[in-house]
DNA sequence: AAAGCGGGGTT
DNA sequence: AACCCAGCTTT
């Protein structure tokens, strides 16, 4: 019989010893929210310096909402997925207008904010407000899949079974649910690693079905679109040219920064449609 | 369910 | 060169 309460207790104990001292863990809900946006598909090490600069400049949602969204895109720099900057700015505006400038604490209200999905809503509710909700990020999905399903990698998309499983652990944690949420995520990030898990220093190896099965390898994953020459690389290159030129850049300079004219035209149009750049007669601005 | 969206560090 | 990273939105 699986003793989830024991696993919860052991990983919380592990967390007490090994948790990183990440700055957003002892800051206000807005600071937590900014960190969650930046951490979407982005490693902690790259987020740390930008998060600090962002909060010094915009310490509240109202402060960010008072700026043009283009300033948010510029400050986002090369963190990646710049639409996150637009969505964070739009969320700050919504919080200022609809929530009196305070980050909401209910899942339903959080989910209504642009750029906030299931994971981010649960993370803010748990980490900033102490809500007893499952927080299912890529780390937690991997940990629970290995513990109970005996597979190295979770399914491509979140399943009902995973949600139900995560809920069992949250229930088992009781009052310690927020602590559990932080602990199991940290455990996935530091020990139960995707590539080379450190099973020798795992406090719950005794309960791991994947380990018991002999660490079967994952099925070969589908190849993503190659980066070199992709629209994503093109968009990033074009946006970087615009971002580094206060006051705007001639359209021709932007287009000439990419080696394929047709692709550059299409990507610039897409960036404009996304609201990441704006075009006047013959110049491009943020 | 699958595709599109960034960028950089690690292996 | 492939893999990975505190995902969200649209189709």
């Amino acid at each position: 019989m699986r003793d989830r309460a024991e696993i919860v207790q052991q990983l919380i104990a592990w967390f007490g010893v090994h948790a990183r001292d990440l700055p957003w863990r002892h800051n206000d809900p807005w600071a937590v929210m900014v960190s969650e946006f930046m951490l979407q598909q982005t490693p902690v090490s790259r987020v740390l310096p930008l998060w600090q600069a962002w909060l010094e400049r915009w310490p509240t949602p109202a402060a960010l909402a008072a700026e043009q969204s283009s300033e948010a895109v510029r400050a986002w720099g090369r963190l990646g997925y710049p639409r996150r900057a637009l969505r964070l700015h739009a969320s700050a505006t919504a919080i200022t207008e609809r929530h009196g400038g305070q980050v909401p604490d209910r899942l339903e209200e959080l989910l209504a904010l642009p750029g906030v999905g299931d994971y981010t809503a649960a993370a803010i509710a748990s980490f900033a407000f102490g809500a007893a909700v499952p927080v299912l990020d890529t780390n937690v999905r991997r940990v629970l899949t290995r513990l109970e399903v005996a597979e190295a990698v979770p399914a491509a998309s979140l399943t009902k079974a995973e949600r139900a499983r995560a809920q069992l652990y949250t229930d088992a944690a009781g009052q310690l649910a927020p602590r559990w949420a932080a602990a199991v995520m940290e455990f996935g990030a530091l020990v139960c690693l995707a590539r080379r898990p450190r099973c020798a220093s795992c406090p719950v190896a005794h309960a791991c079905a994947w380990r018991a099965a002999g660490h079967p390898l994952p099925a070969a994953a589908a190849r993503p679109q190659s980066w070199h020459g992709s629209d994503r690389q093109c968009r990033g290159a074009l946006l970087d040219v615009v971002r580094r030129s206060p006051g705007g850049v001639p359209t021709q300079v932007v287009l000439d920064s990419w080696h394929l004219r047709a692709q550059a035209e299409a990507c610039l149009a897409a960036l404009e449609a996304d609201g990441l750049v704006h075009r006047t007669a013959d110049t491009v601005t943020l």
Side-chain angles (χ1 to χ4, degrees):
Chain A
M1 183 58 196
R2 179 167 297 283
D3 189 345
R4 298 191 177 89
E6 181 186 36
I7 292 173
V8 166
Q9 183 272 321
Q10 288 169 333
L11 287 189
I12 287 177
W14 172 89
F15 186 66
V17 177
H18 299 284
R20 292 169 292 182
D21 185 21
L22 300 175
W24 42 83
R25 285 187 176 146
H26 35 85
N27 265 286
D28 68 9
W30 170 241
V32 172
M33 181 168 171
V34 172
S35 79
E36 293 303 338
F37 268 71
M38 291 183 172
L39 287 163
Q40 290 167 2
Q41 295 288 283
T42 308
V44 167
S45 60
R46 292 187 55 213
V47 165
L48 279 169
L50 204 59
W51 175 87
Q52 186 167 0
W54 190 283
L55 283 175
E56 286 174 7
R57 183 170 177 183
W58 298 306
T60 65
L64 179 57
E67 289 265 16
Q68 296 294 317
S69 64
S70 60
E71 282 305 302
V73 173
R74 191 184 304 282
W76 200 258
R78 300 179 62 80
L79 196 60
Y81 293 132
R83 289 190 287 201
R84 292 184 291 172
L86 285 180
R87 290 170 181 155
L88 182 53
H89 180 270
S91 277
T93 301
I95 289 168
T96 302
E97 293 176 351
R98 300 205 299 260
H99 301 290
Q102 302 299 310
V103 176
D105 60 353
R106 290 176 39 219
L107 283 180
E108 185 178 30
E109 294 172 330
L110 287 164
L111 282 168
L113 297 172
V116 176
D118 285 344
Y119 162 75
T120 301
I124 294 171
S126 177
F127 302 153
F129 297 109
V133 295
V135 182
L136 269 171
D137 78 322
T138 185
N139 290 303
V140 178
R141 294 188 63 206
R142 184 175 59 250
V143 171
L144 298 189
T145 296
R146 287 175 177 174
L147 275 173
E148 300 208 6
V149 187
E151 292 177 0
V153 176
S157 54
L158 193 58
T159 65
K160 287 183 179 180
E162 284 185 86
R163 293 184 197 276
R165 194 177 300 123
Q167 185 66 55
L168 294 176
Y169 284 88
T170 296
D171 293 343
Q175 300 291 336
L176 293 178
R179 186 82 173 164
W180 157 252
V184 66
M185 190 177 306
E186 187 81 333
F187 174 73
L190 298 182
V191 177
C192 198
L193 305 175
R195 205 84 80 87
R196 301 188 56 159
R198 301 177 181 172
C199 300
S201 51
C202 175
V204 291
H206 64 88
C208 182
W210 183 52
R211 174 176 174 274
H215 296 110
L217 295 172
R223 293 275 179 279
Q225 181 187 20
S226 73
W227 168 253
H228 186 72
S230 66
D231 281 355
R232 292 164 75 165
Q233 184 187 26
C234 179
R235 289 168 55 106
L238 301 186
L239 184 59
D240 196 44
V241 170
V242 179
R243 184 172 48 228
R244 284 165 18 200
S245 304
V249 197
T251 304
Q252 288 306 315
V253 173
V254 177
L255 295 176
D256 287 343
S257 71
W258 190 252
H259 60 291
L260 295 177
R261 171 56 57 115
Q263 187 182 21
E265 293 271 14
C267 285
L268 185 56
L271 287 169
E272 184 181 22
D274 287 343
L276 285 166
V277 303
H278 300 86
R279 302 176 69 169
T280 61
D282 55 0
T283 69
V284 185
T285 60
L286 287 183

